[in-house]
């Protein structure tokens, strides 16, 4: 949208005409006041006005076009406050001195602290930056706001924008040291899906903070799992330089405004094909996750292209995390072999990606073995209270603190010098001992150690990995950068992004890692993440989470996937449904169920499919072709809003076909008829079957049915018989248990468990049904319990 010319708000104290001598006196007084300091200040963009009073509090956040006020008046709204990390109470400013000429605001606090803030009025936003703090040692952290925004509408918590139909107000943190979000713990962790806006009953608050990281301190780290963990200082990283932007505009101009801020203020601004990723039409395009190797790459590349996808992503290519060496069996020529594959794919318009877990460090990595790096992070440490030899299995230590955190202690590993040692437990009373120790763990060398040597408890994780401190994390980021630059890989996920919290530097550390990797990679690095942060939003291309491991194709995290969509939309992120796992028995109906939901939400996805599943599924070619058809239609904007609402109905099934004309498709909804069979008492000799009727309205087609049980855990049936329209009999002797599904489709019988794992598959002849009315007679033997047998008959619809 075209933005209006800037409109400046005048702050002159006098506007009416007076006699010359009086005017001269008044003008002199006014100029003197402006030159020294003003009692309040009004700052403006072309569409937005901010009013700050003499106490350093916001008094107004206003839409200039119509005068609508969006600052909630009964809430405190300091421009900036001081936070002591030992509590959650903000020290508010007592007074503010404004110097419009120098464009500064001096905030004065009861503690004697003075903080100078520079401001700049831009066409579309206003910036505030801390330029000096005195005395610095009295300011362990500062918080911007909170600014209570009275907008009833949509709140994008991560991006930091609240909006209704007429106006939007947002906050952007303008550098790494400024974390968008509330300061809720002393490590500076903004929380899982939190950012610069926090939802409230009246709208939201806008928040950001900066911690003085230049001093040594302790913190409660990683969602407070590791209490009082020592955190090393980062030289020069004080609160000076903390910087934010505030803006207000029409909702349709939000992305344009943020893009302008990114480019003007030096924030990451990733482009794809020369277009900003946040507005790129194919930012949600589906991609293939598989295990490609130097031997099978050509085959898998063809699968990728057949599906109309432009990215193939390796799910687990590394033998270690830290050095990122490739698995030799898959890549006997190492990075040179990977590079050759990447160049082949790129020449055919396909991007190649590789998966890892951010800063998770495997025990087989050179950072750990045979000589552990001094930068492996400790949750805390003690010292030896006596000498030990290379074979001692009881080790005297000065404290049992840190070593006794059993709730978050998965590998029981300490580091003494260049040796890693695993222990069973630590004694509860002095003299404290690490008991039943395994010496020289993880391939390190067992050796003697002296009294007074440091015994550091390594921070670990259920995935059986360790983590780097902030300095070693930089080296790990560089290793990742080197891999991408040497191979040409241009897609990755910051999976396990929360691992960077292990440094004790909170969200700052997560953002720093992502920024280093993104900016260090020579080619544009398309990336996703398992976590979202306000700063990382500028780097991110997509958030594609929803995992396929916890149930069948349709069941695994399905509710989570659909609940994600409003969150993604609120934060101007592309709709994505997550990962779906293709298995040898995945049906065409399953795939179209997923593709219909993708069309409903305009959402992409990742198809996770190992090579054997692609080779062995009898419907692979049809499935890949359907993905191409549905995705082309979705990305072309073919589906109407009314159709999208129909496609969101999970009880409905759909099918899409191409027509002979380009960008035209035929969308059909299946007819499903749901019946339930229950055991009933009958007279001797009376048939026990149930009879059901249905109508085929769309022409001759094969019989399809889906059968499940609703009953106790041990419920089961067998010897199912189905007679179709009094002329074709289907006999199924197999046993069907609770939690399993039996599918009759495409002349196949398939039985799978609740997670979609194949139990049995065989050929079976299924009848063809013509137009008009039909009936089926259904019967079975109840083996255990008294389950309801749920039978779904499916027909191609209009």
């Amino acid at each position: 949208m075209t933005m209006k010319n800037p409109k400046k708000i005048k702050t002159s104290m006098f506007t009416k005409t007076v006699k010359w001598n009086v005017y001269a006196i008044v003008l002199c007084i006014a100029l003197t006041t402006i030159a020294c300091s003003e009692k309040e200040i009004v700052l403006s963009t072309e569409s937005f006005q901010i009013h700050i009073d003499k106490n350093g509090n916001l008094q107004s956040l206003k839409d200039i076009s119509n005068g609508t006020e969006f600052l909630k008046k009964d809430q405190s709204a300091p421009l900036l406050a001081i936070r002591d990390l030992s509590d959650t109470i903000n020290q508010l400013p007592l007074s503010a001195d404004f110097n419009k000429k120098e464009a500064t605001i001096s905030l004065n606090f009861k503690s004697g602290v003075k903080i100078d803030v520079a401001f700049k009025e831009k066409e579309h936003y206003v910036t505030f930056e801390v330029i000096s703090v005195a005395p610095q040692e009295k300011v362990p952290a500062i918080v911007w706001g909170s600014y209570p925004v009275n907008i009833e509408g949509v709140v994008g918590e991560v991006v930091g924008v609240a909006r209704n139909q007429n106006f939007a107000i947002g906050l952007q943190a303008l550098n790494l040291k400024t974390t968008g979000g509330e300061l809720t713990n002393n490590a500076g962790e903004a929380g899982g899906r939190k950012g610069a806006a926090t939802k409230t009953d009246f709208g939201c608050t806008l928040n950001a903070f900066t911690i003085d990281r230049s001093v040594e301190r302790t913190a409660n780290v990683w969602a407070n799992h590791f209490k009082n963990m020592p955190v090393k200082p980062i030289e020069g990283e004080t609160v000076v330089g903390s910087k934010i932007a505030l803006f207000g505009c029409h909702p349709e101009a939000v992305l344009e405004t943020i893009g302008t801020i990114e480019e003007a203020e030096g924030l990451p601004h990733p482009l794809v094909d020369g277009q900003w990723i946040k507005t790129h039409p194919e930012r949600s395009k589906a991609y293939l996750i598989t295990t490609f190797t130097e031997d099978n790459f050509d085959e898998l590349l063809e699968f990728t292209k057949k599906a109309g996808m432009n990215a193939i992503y390796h799910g687990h290519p590394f033998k270690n995390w830290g050095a990122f060496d490739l698995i030799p069996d898959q890549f006997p020529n190492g990075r040179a072999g990977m590079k050759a594959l990447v160049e082949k794919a790129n020449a055919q318009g396909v991007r190649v990606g590789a998966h890892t877990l951010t800063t998770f460090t495997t025990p087989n990595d050179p950072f750990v073995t045979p000589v552990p790096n001094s930068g492996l992070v400790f949750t805390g440490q003690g010292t030896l209270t006596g000498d030990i030899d290379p074979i001692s299995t009881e080790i005297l230590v000065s404290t049992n603190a840190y070593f006794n955190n059993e709730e978050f202690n998965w590998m029981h590993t300490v580091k003494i010098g260049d040796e890693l040692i695993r222990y069973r437990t630590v004694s509860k009373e002095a003299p404290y001992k690490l008991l039943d120790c395994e010496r020289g763990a993880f391939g390190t060398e067992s050796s003697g150690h002296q009294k007074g040597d440091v015994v550091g408890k390594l921070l670990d994780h259920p995935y059986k990995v360790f983590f780097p401190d902030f300095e070693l994390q930089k080296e790990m980021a560089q290793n990742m950068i080197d891999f991408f630059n040497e191979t040409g890989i241009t897609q990755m996920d910051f999976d396990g992004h929360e691992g960077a919290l292990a440094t004790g530097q909170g969200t700052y550390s997560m953002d720093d890692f992502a920024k280093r990797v993104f900016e260090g990679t020579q080619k544009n690095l398309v990336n996703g993440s398992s976590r979202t942060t306000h700063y990382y939003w500028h780097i991110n291309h997509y958030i594609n989470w929803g995992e396929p491991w916890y149930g069948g194709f349709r069941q695994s995290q399905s509710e989570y996937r659909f609940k994600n969509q409003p969150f993604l939309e609120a934060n101007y992120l592309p709709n994505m449904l997550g990962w779906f796992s293709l298995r040898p028995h995945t049906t065409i109906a399953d795939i179209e169920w997923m593709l219909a939901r993708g069309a409903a939400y305009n959402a992409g996805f990742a198809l996770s499919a190992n090579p054997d599943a692609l080779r062995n599924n009898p419907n692979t070619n049809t499935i890949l072709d359907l993905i191409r058809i549905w995705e082309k239609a979705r990305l072309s904007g073919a589906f109407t809003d009314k159709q999208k609402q129909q496609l969101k109905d999970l009880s409905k099934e759909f099918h899409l076909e191409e027509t002979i004309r380009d960008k035209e498709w035929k969308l059909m909804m299946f007819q499903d008829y749901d019946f339930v069979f229950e055991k009933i008492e009958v007279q001797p000799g009376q048939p026990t079957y149930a009879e059901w009727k249905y109508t085929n309205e769309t022409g001759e087609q094969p019989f399809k049915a889906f059968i499940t049980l609703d009953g106790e855990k041990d419920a089961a049936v067998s010897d199912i018989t189905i007679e179709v329209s009094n002329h074709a009999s289907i006999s199924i002797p197999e046993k069907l248990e609770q939690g399993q599904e039996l599918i009759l489709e495409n002349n196949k019988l398939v039985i799978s468990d609740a997670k979609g794992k194949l139990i049995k598959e065989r050929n079976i002849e299924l009848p063809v049904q013509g137009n008009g009315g039909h009936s089926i007679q259904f019967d079975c033997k109840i083996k255990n319990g008294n389950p309801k047998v749920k039978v779904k008959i499916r027909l191609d619809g209009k």
Side-chain angles (χ1 to χ4, degrees):
M1 95 181 253
T2 302
M3 296 198 173
K4 302 174 184 176
N5 292 326
K7 181 180 178 183
K8 296 296 180 182
I9 304 302
K10 297 181 180 181
T11 58
S12 174
M13 297 172 59
F14 305 97
T15 57
K16 64 182 181 177
T17 305
V18 294
K19 292 181 180 180
W20 173 251
N21 57 345
V22 176
Y23 179 80
I25 293 170
V26 172
L27 181 60
C28 181
I29 293 170
L31 289 173
T32 302
T33 302
I34 292 171
C36 296
S37 76
E38 301 180 13
K39 297 302 181 184
E40 58 184 29
I41 196 166
V42 177
L43 305 173
S44 302
T45 72
E46 63 166 12
S47 56
F48 185 51
Q49 185 184 94
I50 305 168
H51 180 182
I52 305 171
D53 70 12
K54 64 181 180 179
N55 295 319
N57 294 311
L58 272 60
Q59 286 298 307
S60 176
L61 295 172
K62 188 176 292 185
D63 176 359
I64 289 177
S65 67
N66 57 23
T68 302
E69 178 60 63
F70 289 105
L71 184 75
K72 187 166 174 57
K73 292 296 187 178
D74 58 354
Q75 302 281 322
S76 173
L79 173 66
L80 180 149
I82 297 172
R83 173 71 64 84
D84 185 337
L85 291 174
S86 63
D87 60 42
T88 59
I89 304 300
N90 289 343
Q91 183 187 155
L92 305 182
L94 290 178
S95 65
D97 299 317
F98 304 98
N99 191 319
K100 187 88 178 197
K101 183 178 180 182
E102 299 295 329
T104 60
I105 305 170
S106 296
L107 300 173
N108 306 297
F109 296 82
K110 183 178 180 180
S111 59
V113 171
K114 179 184 176 184
I115 298 179
D116 289 334
V117 177
F119 62 85
K120 288 185 180 179
E121 294 170 284
K122 304 290 185 80
E123 184 179 2
H124 306 310
Y125 61 97
V126 177
T127 65
F128 299 94
E129 180 179 8
V130 175
I131 56 174
S132 70
V133 174
Q136 185 173 293
E137 62 272 14
K138 288 189 176 182
V139 186
I142 60 105
V143 294
W144 297 96
S146 294
Y147 311 134
V149 176
N150 193 10
I151 287 184
E152 294 184 5
V154 176
V155 176
E157 292 183 271
V158 173
V159 71
V161 177
R163 61 193 187 271
N164 59 24
Q165 290 183 337
N166 303 311
F167 204 67
I169 295 177
L171 180 151
Q172 295 292 288
L174 298 183
N175 50 35
L176 270 175
K177 70 167 56 189
T178 313
T179 300
E182 293 183 298
L183 180 53
T184 56
N185 82 337
N186 55 11
E189 299 173 14
R193 283 193 161 181
K194 303 297 182 183
T198 302
K199 291 181 183 178
T200 65
D201 57 359
F202 56 79
C204 78
T205 58
L206 299 178
N207 321 269
F209 64 85
T210 297
I211 291 175
D212 184 350
R213 303 180 188 277
S214 68
V215 294
E216 193 167 357
R217 58 198 173 90
T218 61
N220 297 328
V221 171
W222 204 333
N224 299 324
H225 291 169
F226 306 102
K227 306 286 188 182
N228 299 315
M229 189 177 118
V231 180
K232 297 175 183 178
I234 302 174
E235 186 176 354
E237 196 60 55
T238 68
V239 301
V240 175
S242 181
K243 188 176 183 181
I244 64 167
L246 289 175
F247 67 89
C249 62
H250 192 277
E252 291 180 1
V254 168
L255 276 183
E256 180 184 354
T257 300
I258 294 176
T260 298
I261 292 171
E262 285 184 353
E263 292 187 289
E265 302 297 332
L267 291 169
H269 188 74
L271 305 176
V272 173
D273 305 323
Q275 184 171 346
W276 185 34
I277 188 59
K278 293 299 189 287
T279 60
H280 196 286
E282 294 192 353
R283 61 194 182 278
S284 65
K285 193 163 187 178
Y287 56 99
L288 177 68
I289 299 177
T290 189
T291 305
F292 62 80
T293 68
E294 291 184 47
D295 289 335
N296 69 15
F297 187 74
D298 289 347
E299 177 189 18
L300 293 169
L301 184 58
E302 288 305 310
F303 284 135
T304 306
K305 293 191 298 180
K306 184 170 182 58
M309 296 176 176
N310 65 355
I312 180 171
Y313 187 94
H314 199 303
H316 181 57
F318 300 111
K319 74 172 184 180
N320 51 38
W321 295 334
F324 303 109
D325 297 312
L326 291 165
I327 297 172
D329 288 349
Q330 296 179 9
F331 302 96
N333 294 300
R335 293 186 178 183
M338 176 69 87
K339 182 180 180 180
L341 304 185
V342 171
E343 290 175 346
K344 178 182 292 186
N346 291 171
Q348 298 178 55
V350 177
R351 183 174 62 245
V352 180
H355 192 73
T356 182
L357 265 77
T358 311
T359 62
F360 287 41
T361 309
T362 51
N364 67 336
D365 190 83
F367 282 153
V368 177
T369 185
V371 179
N373 194 288
S374 61
L376 293 175
V377 74
F378 294 166
T379 63
Q381 64 186 48
T383 58
L384 290 176
T385 57
D387 295 347
I388 59 171
D389 61 31
I391 60 172
S392 300
T393 58
E394 292 189 356
I395 297 175
L396 288 164
V397 290
S398 58
T399 178
N400 67 352
Y402 303 110
F403 308 112
N404 61 1
N405 181 4
E406 282 303 308
E407 187 177 1
F408 304 103
N409 185 6
W410 295 275
M411 296 175 74
H412 286 245
T413 304
V414 298
K415 179 179 178 294
I416 308 176
D418 288 339
E419 183 184 0
L420 297 184
I421 300 169
R422 301 187 75 178
Y423 64 98
R424 178 178 61 80
T425 189
V426 62
S427 58
K428 295 180 180 179
E429 297 179 356
Y432 301 112
K433 294 180 181 179
L434 302 179
L435 302 174
D436 298 335
C437 294
E438 174 194 339
R439 303 298 301 276
F442 303 111
T444 61
E445 185 176 348
S446 177
S447 61
H449 305 282
Q450 274 91 53
K451 179 180 179 180
D453 285 352
V454 170
V455 184
K457 170 66 182 69
L458 290 183
L459 192 153
D460 58 24
H461 186 272
Y463 282 21
K464 301 300 177 73
V465 290
F466 302 115
F467 295 89
D469 65 15
F470 190 73
E471 287 303 311
L472 185 58
Q473 179 177 288
K474 294 178 186 178
E475 188 176 338
M476 195 167 181
Q478 188 58 53
N479 287 349
M480 191 176 285
I481 291 165
D482 291 343
F483 171 78
F484 293 144
N485 290 341
E486 288 175 28
T487 62
I489 291 285
T490 52
Q491 183 172 346
M492 62 91 67
D493 284 327
F494 290 98
D495 190 5
H497 202 167
E498 68 275 15
L501 296 175
T503 65
Q505 300 294 355
T507 302
Y508 171 94
S509 186
M510 295 172 63
D511 293 338
D512 182 83
F513 187 86
K515 182 175 186 287
R516 286 179 187 277
V517 172
F518 179 74
E519 293 186 347
T521 305
Q522 292 166 358
K523 297 181 180 179
N524 179 55
L525 183 64
V526 174
N527 65 91
S529 177
S530 58
R531 294 292 180 100
T532 48
T533 75
H534 176 69
Y535 187 90
Y536 173 67
W537 182 93
H538 299 285
I539 296 169
N540 173 259
H541 291 66
Y542 59 83
I543 298 293
N544 188 36
W545 237 251
E547 298 180 352
W549 327 119
Y550 309 110
F553 191 91
R554 305 178 187 221
Q555 290 79 33
S556 183
Q557 295 192 329
S558 59
E559 185 177 0
Y560 171 79
R561 296 173 193 273
F562 301 127
K563 282 185 175 180
N564 269 346
Q565 305 315 307
F567 165 80
L568 297 172
E569 292 162 6
N571 287 284
Y572 303 95
L573 294 167
N575 292 80
M576 300 293 286
L577 288 179
W579 296 19
F580 288 87
S581 183
L582 175 74
R583 298 184 171 100
H585 58 279
T586 300
T587 66
I588 292 171
D590 284 339
I591 291 292
E592 288 212 276
W593 178 89
M594 180 264 290
L595 291 169
R597 272 74 241 182
Y601 292 98
N602 190 25
F605 60 92
L607 184 71
S608 176
N610 67 48
D612 285 340
L614 287 163
R615 294 178 189 126
N616 296 331
N617 189 307
N619 302 309
T620 289
N621 286 332
T622 302
I623 285 170
L624 297 179
D625 208 37
L626 284 168
I627 290 172
R628 177 188 58 78
I629 293 168
W630 278 90
E631 280 290 275
K632 183 179 178 182
R634 178 180 73 84
L635 293 169
S636 298
F639 298 98
T640 66
D641 289 341
K642 183 179 179 180
Q643 288 169 339
K644 289 178 183 178
Q645 283 303 117
Q646 290 178 305
L647 291 164
K648 287 180 181 179
D649 187 342
L650 298 182
S651 69
K652 300 290 191 296
E653 304 284 335
F654 299 88
H655 174 62
L656 191 69
E657 293 180 0
E658 288 179 306
T659 67
I660 59 173
R661 287 183 285 190
D662 188 36
K663 292 194 175 181
E664 183 178 285
W665 296 266
K666 185 193 297 183
L667 177 63
M668 294 170 280
M669 183 166 67
F670 289 113
Q671 292 176 266
D672 282 343
Y673 292 89
D674 293 301
F675 304 107
V676 175
F677 175 88
E678 294 184 78
K679 182 180 180 181
I680 58 172
E681 294 294 329
V682 296
Q683 298 178 22
Q686 180 181 346
T688 58
Y689 64 76
E691 185 168 10
W692 306 312
K693 297 182 183 296
Y694 58 92
T695 302
N696 175 13
E697 300 175 352
T698 52
E700 190 174 273
Q701 56 185 290
F703 180 82
K704 295 179 191 174
F706 304 83
I707 304 173
T708 57
L709 303 185
D710 183 4
E712 300 298 323
K713 186 178 180 180
D714 61 349
V717 300
S718 69
D719 297 293
I720 296 171
T721 59
I722 304 173
E723 187 165 301
V724 181
S725 297
N726 296 313
H727 76 90
S729 293
I730 303 168
S731 178
I732 304 169
E734 286 88 353
K735 183 168 73 169
L736 180 68
E737 299 178 352
Q738 174 67 27
Q740 296 177 350
E741 181 178 36
L742 188 154
I743 300 174
L744 300 172
E745 186 177 22
N746 299 324
N747 289 324
K748 293 278 187 182
L749 179 149
V750 175
I751 300 176
S752 56
D753 68 12
K755 290 190 176 183
K757 183 179 178 181
L758 181 65
I759 295 173
K760 182 169 184 177
E761 179 179 7
R762 67 177 173 86
N763 294 327
I764 187 171
E765 187 174 349
L766 298 173
V768 173
Q769 305 166 98
N771 259 5
H774 293 273
S775 66
I776 61 172
Q777 295 170 353
F778 182 95
D779 204 354
C780 65
K781 290 183 180 178
I782 306 296
K783 301 291 288 186
N784 293 310
N786 190 21
K788 295 179 180 179
V789 184
K790 301 170 77 172
V791 181
K792 183 189 295 289
I793 304 300
R794 172 159 299 157
L795 296 164
D796 293 339
K798 291 183 179 178

